[in-house]
Amino acid sequence: MTGPSRPLEIIDPAGVAPATSYCHVSRAGDFIFVAGQIAKDAAGNWVGTDDAGAQARQVYANIGLCLASVGASAKDVVKINTILVDRMDRDAVTAARLAFFGDHRPPHTGILAGLGSPEVKVEVEVIAYLPEARR
């Protein structure tokens, strides 16, 4: 059974530094996809250049803004992917994740890899589910 077709929405939320070649958020039906967020503030300045915990806090602030732009929150997240450059940063990044999500514990995957810029110590992407009935 199919319902009315809803178009794909592509959003660049206020307060998040614009990306050069993509948008930060898309909504496809009831699912919300947030692009990997890095530690840049709204003006595009790096936050926490040598501090993965400070970077992670900025990353989650950006994720919060991305989710809020479509009426969602941390409680609507159903999947988290975290990419780290240095496994020694795991505890600091985990602390930021737990602070952001509180008691909500969606599935999480941690990946150790190189990232697109030497300043980036951590990048996080999320998928959220927000049924139309709750919007």
Side-chain angles (χ1 to χ4, degrees):
M1 180 173 170
T2 61
S5 176
R6 287 186 297 238
L8 175 68
E9 294 178 66
I10 304 291
I11 300 122
D12 260 333
V16 179
T20 57
S21 61
Y22 59 90
C23 290
H24 288 290
V25 181
S26 68
R27 179 172 28 214
D30 294 337
F31 283 94
I32 300 156
F33 300 88
V34 177
Q37 296 297 301
I38 57 174
K40 283 191 174 183
D41 65 16
N45 300 309
W46 289 106
V47 174
T49 304
D50 293 321
D51 182 345
Q55 284 198 14
R57 288 186 294 278
Q58 180 65 48
V59 162
Y60 281 109
N62 292 347
I63 288 171
L65 290 169
C66 288
L67 292 169
S69 75
V70 292
S73 72
K75 298 287 185 197
D76 299 306
V77 171
V78 297
K79 179 70 172 101
I80 310 163
N81 289 323
T82 301
I83 304 141
L84 287 175
V85 172
D86 184 343
R87 70 175 34 102
M88 298 303 290
D89 293 331
R90 186 186 76 182
D91 290 345
V93 172
T94 296
R97 177 173 46 86
L98 295 175
F100 181 76
F101 285 102
D103 292 336
H104 183 55
R105 298 286 189 262
H108 173 262
T109 299
I111 302 162
L112 188 63
L115 292 167
S117 178
E119 296 87 358
V120 180
K121 297 177 91 41
V122 60
E123 183 171 347
V124 179
E125 68 177 11
V126 300
I127 300 170
Y129 178 73
L130 184 62
E132 190 169 0
R134 290 190 24 228
R135 289 186 237 160

